[in-house]
Amino acid sequence: MPLAIPTIAFLVFTTLLLLGKIGEVTYCFLVASAALLGLVLHGFSRLQELDLKNLRLVLREIEQTKKELFVREEKLKAIVVPLAQIVAFTGASEGRFVDLEAINLKREWYKRKVSELASALELATTETAEIQKYNEKYAEIDESMGGRGVLNISDPNYQAIKDNHEKLVSELFEMMKIDLKK
């Protein structure tokens, strides 16, 4: 095989010389170069296989790296939803007894940031809904309070509001229990 390349080159150069496409000096130089190439390839068999071995090694390393990246991506996706839920829950639940305007502003900020996170991570709509469910439940609790920060005993619908509030809070705890079982 190492002698096949210079032999083919010799035949091509001879044909070009006979057709008058190259001169005698050029022919001598090309034949001498092909002969030298044949001797080098024949004498140093490592040169014949060096590139192929490196190519196989590189392809093998690329495949391993690709598999490792895929595994890391799967791990990251498994981490993203619980992390976003923690962020959403923390944002929805903290600071409950501060100014109502501050609560609403903070809730809207958290909701927007979680939406931005979900879109940046290209999450499916079901995953986005899973992340936002705590924000939505706290918004429902706030709505049941009728715009008040705190429920007073003197409120005319105190018992109905309190019962609805307790129902929503128990639903919230059930959601958390379901998440803990996953």
Side-chain angles (χ1 to χ4, degrees):
M1 182 67 181
L3 295 178
I5 294 172
T7 304
I8 292 171
F10 173 75
L11 292 174
V12 170
F13 299 149
T14 303
T15 304
L16 291 174
L17 177 66
L18 293 174
L19 293 174
K21 300 290 183 184
I22 59 173
E24 292 175 2
V25 175
T26 306
Y27 173 76
C28 290
F29 177 74
L30 291 174
V31 168
S33 298
L36 183 61
L37 177 67
L39 288 174
V40 168
L41 287 177
H42 184 70
F44 299 104
S45 60
R46 284 183 27 200
L47 291 176
Q48 296 172 11
E49 299 176 12
L50 184 64
D51 288 336
L52 294 176
K53 285 182 181 179
N54 285 338
L55 181 62
R56 276 190 234 129
L57 177 66
V58 169
L59 288 175
R60 191 175 307 127
E61 288 175 359
I62 288 173
E63 287 297 320
Q64 288 174 346
T65 305
K66 185 176 160 184
K67 288 177 184 176
E68 289 173 5
L69 288 175
F70 181 73
V71 169
R72 288 181 183 161
E73 181 183 0
E74 290 299 315
K75 286 181 182 178
L76 180 62
K77 283 185 177 181
I79 293 170
V80 167
V81 173
L83 178 62
Q85 283 179 329
I86 290 168
V87 169
F89 180 76
T90 303
S93 64
E94 71 180 18
R96 299 286 298 165
F97 299 108
V98 295
D99 180 43
L100 188 58
E101 185 179 336
I103 290 172
N104 291 334
L105 180 64
K106 187 178 67 169
R107 285 262 169 70
E108 186 58 36
W109 184 87
Y110 267 107
K111 189 174 184 179
R112 184 176 298 157
K113 291 301 176 183
V114 170
S115 294
E116 288 174 10
L117 177 64
S119 66
L121 295 170
E122 299 174 354
L123 298 178
T125 53
T126 56
E127 293 171 323
T128 303
E130 183 70 21
I131 292 170
Q132 291 287 7
K133 70 183 181 183
Y134 289 109
N135 276 336
E136 291 170 3
K137 185 54 71 174
Y138 272 106
E140 194 176 339
I141 290 170
D142 289 343
E143 188 177 309
S144 75
M145 295 293 283
R148 310 174 201 65
V150 179
L151 182 60
N152 293 321
I153 297 175
S154 62
D155 286 337
N157 299 331
Y158 172 77
Q159 192 59 43
I161 295 171
K162 181 180 176 212
D163 292 342
N164 188 35
H165 182 76
E166 288 175 355
K167 179 182 139 264
L168 291 172
V169 170
S170 69
E171 289 174 7
L172 178 69
F173 289 147
E174 286 302 316
M175 288 169 46
M176 292 171 69
K177 287 177 185 176
I178 290 170
D179 281 347
L180 285 174
K181 290 179 184 178
K182 289 181 184 179

